[in-house]
Amino acid sequence: MDIKTIIRKYREMGVRLTPQRLAIVKSLEGDRSHPSAIDIYNRLKDEYPSLSLTTVYNTLQMLKEMGEVAELNLHPEKSLYDPDVTPHSHVYCIRCERVDDLPYAEPPEALLKKAQDLGYKVKDVATIVYGICKRCGEIRDH
Ligand SMILES: [Zn+2]
Ligand SMILES: [Zn+2]
């Protein structure tokens, strides 16, 4: 994700980059926590009392369409957002919902072929590892 590119794209589309929208973009820059829309809203609502959750959702949708943010379907009920759009995989903690980045994993050829044999045109392959993070494991041990 690149703020300069985002500002330029907004300008090209003739969409005003309001202080609220810019705050959302800035809060995502370099964020490795894979936040949900609600996480972002909670972070910013004190500083921007007029911010609505709808604005957060709309801005994330826009950033996704620009290809500047990836939407991750790791959580069963909410989308998580990743400003790192380079190919990589994720490990997800099933207790605290923490998400960490993993290096990109090549999907096994056999899986791709099976999907293609079923007539699927493969659009995207996601590798997700589910587990219990170190911190959650330690809490349980004490
Ligand atoms: Zn955890
Ligand atoms: Zn990631």
Side-chain angles (χ1 to χ4, degrees), residues 34 82 88 90 101:
H34 307 82
D82 195 342
H88 63 279
H90 294 101
D101 288 326

Side-chain angles (χ1 to χ4, degrees), residues 32 34 72 82 84 88-90 99-102:
R32 316 288 299 178
H34 307 82
L72 310 175
D82 195 342
D84 180 359
H88 63 279
S89 301
H90 294 101
V99 178
D100 279 299
D101 288 326
L102 294 176

